[in-house]
């Protein structure tokens, strides 16, 4: 079992609020990722990190920001939530150098902005 | 062009039967990897099986096997002896190159297993 945790599992919040989605992993993985997924649709990479103090934007433009101050922690922040941010957000991590290692996913955060 | 194409939005199979979920991919990189994930209605992504472009044999993991046809750029997932718990969304994903493990996902196939 992969040890990657996301909190909260569900969040319903009003427009304009600042939100931080938490993601932590205990596997010592250097690479971490955030994906956005609308219901029944494919995953889109919005942020990723090679390691501490490294963050990059993914393929899908997002108004969110991320930080990687510790290896195990990769939080995602929305400064001012809007209804268009309503989606599921999935955090993942992977280790190793050969590319065969799968990404391990957390259970996701289902975000609903009213 | 889509890098990963899953042409079956939904598939139905009876319990204990085998089912094949299609995946085709598009890349010019000679080194790549293909992953299959299962997503139950609860939302988490569960890794099932991996196939590397240089792997000589088709990957197998328990009831899951991958029908890898490199020349046709297809990597179909075969689930043998379907179980009710196999009902879920299934995503095919590709990693290009040997470096960073960025994945591109297909649109998924919803599998429903009936008793």
């Amino acid at each position: 079992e992969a040890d990657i945790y996301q909190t909260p599992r569900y969040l319903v919040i009003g427009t304009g609020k600042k939100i931080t989605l938490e993601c932590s992993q205990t596997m010592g993985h250097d690479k971490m990722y955030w994906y956005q997924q609308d219901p029944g649709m494919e995953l889109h990479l919005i942020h990723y990190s090679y390691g501490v103090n490294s963050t990059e934007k993914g393929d899908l433009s997002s108004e969110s920001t991320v930080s990687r101050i510790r290896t195990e922690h990769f939080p995602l922040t929305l400064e001012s939530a809007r209804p268009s941010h309503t989606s599921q957000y999935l955090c993942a991590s992977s280790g190793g150098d050969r590319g065969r290692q799968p990404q391990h996913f957390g259970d996701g955060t289902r975000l609903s902005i009213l | 062009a889509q890098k990963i194409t899953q042409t079956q939005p939904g598939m139905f199979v009876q319990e204990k039967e085998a089912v094949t979920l299609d995946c085709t991919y598009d890349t010019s990189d000679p080194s790549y990897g293909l992953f299959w994930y299962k997503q139950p209605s609860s939302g988490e992504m569960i890794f099932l099986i991996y196939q590397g472009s240089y792997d000589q044999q088709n990957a197998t993991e328990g009831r899951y096997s991958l029908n890898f046809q490199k020349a046709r750029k297809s990597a179909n997932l075969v689930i043998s002896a379907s179980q009710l718990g196999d009902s879920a969304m299934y995503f095919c994903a590709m990693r290009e190159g040997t470096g960073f493990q960025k994945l591109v996902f297909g649109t998924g196939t919803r599998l429903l297993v009936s008793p």
Side-chain angles (χ1 to χ4, degrees):
Chain A
E1 284 291 321
D3 295 318
I4 180 164
Y5 307 100
Q6 289 187 245
T7 57
R9 187 78 172 88
Y10 302 92
L11 180 61
V12 180
I13 201 165
T15 299
K17 301 291 186 183
K18 180 178 178 178
I19 299 166
T20 297
L21 307 184
E22 301 288 348
C23 177
S24 293
Q25 50 98 4
T26 59
M27 296 170 283
H29 286 167
D30 53 350
K31 304 173 192 68
M32 296 189 74
Y33 319 78
W34 275 103
Y35 292 88
Q36 184 174 343
Q37 183 188 27
D38 291 332
M41 305 294 285
E42 67 264 49
L43 282 69
H44 293 285
L45 182 69
I46 52 175
H47 298 283
Y48 59 98
S49 167
Y50 290 92
V52 171
N53 294 326
S54 145
T55 60
E56 302 285 343
K57 289 191 178 296
D59 301 322
L60 181 69
S61 175
S62 174
E63 294 169 345
S64 58
T65 59
V66 292
S67 63
R68 189 90 184 273
I69 298 171
R70 303 196 315 267
T71 298
E72 64 271 21
H73 195 213
F74 191 41
L76 180 145
T77 298
L78 280 163
E79 289 294 332
S80 180
R82 295 208 302 262
S84 61
H85 297 140
T86 294
S87 191
Q88 172 160 257
Y89 293 83
L90 288 154
C91 180
S93 71
S94 65
D97 297 324
R98 296 184 58 193
R100 300 185 69 90
Q101 301 301 317
Q103 293 183 15
H104 298 279
F105 284 80
D107 289 342
T109 294
R110 294 193 182 184
L111 180 63
S112 181
I113 310 299
L114 303 177
Chain B
Q2 291 283 347
K3 286 192 176 282
I4 293 286
T5 302
Q6 294 181 255
T7 57
Q8 306 155 313
M11 289 286 285
F12 295 88
V13 66
Q14 275 203 307
E15 206 175 1
K16 299 177 185 158
E17 298 291 314
V19 62
T20 298
L21 307 183
D22 294 343
C23 173
T24 57
Y25 58 91
D26 181 27
T27 182
S28 56
D29 197 316
S31 178
Y32 55 89
L34 297 153
F35 299 80
W36 277 91
Y37 283 86
K38 172 184 177 181
Q39 187 177 44
S41 57
S42 48
E44 72 272 28
M45 295 285 285
I46 303 166
F47 166 70
L48 296 178
I49 196 165
Y50 169 82
Q51 181 82 45
S53 59
Y54 294 120
D55 292 346
Q56 294 297 310
Q57 293 186 323
N58 286 350
T60 61
E61 288 286 349
R63 292 186 300 111
Y64 305 109
S65 61
L66 214 150
N67 183 3
F68 183 47
Q69 298 188 41
K70 197 170 181 177
R72 299 175 72 174
K73 293 190 175 179
S74 74
N76 300 337
L77 176 70
V78 181
I79 305 174
S80 63
S82 297
Q83 301 172 355
L84 296 178
D86 293 335
S87 294
M89 282 288 285
Y90 289 80
F91 290 95
C92 180
M94 179 173 66
R95 170 199 49 79
E96 292 178 291
T98 56
F100 192 75
Q101 295 149 27
K102 198 165 68 165
L103 294 180
V104 175
F105 284 82
T107 52
T109 296
R110 183 170 297 280
L111 177 66
L112 183 61
V113 181
S114 60

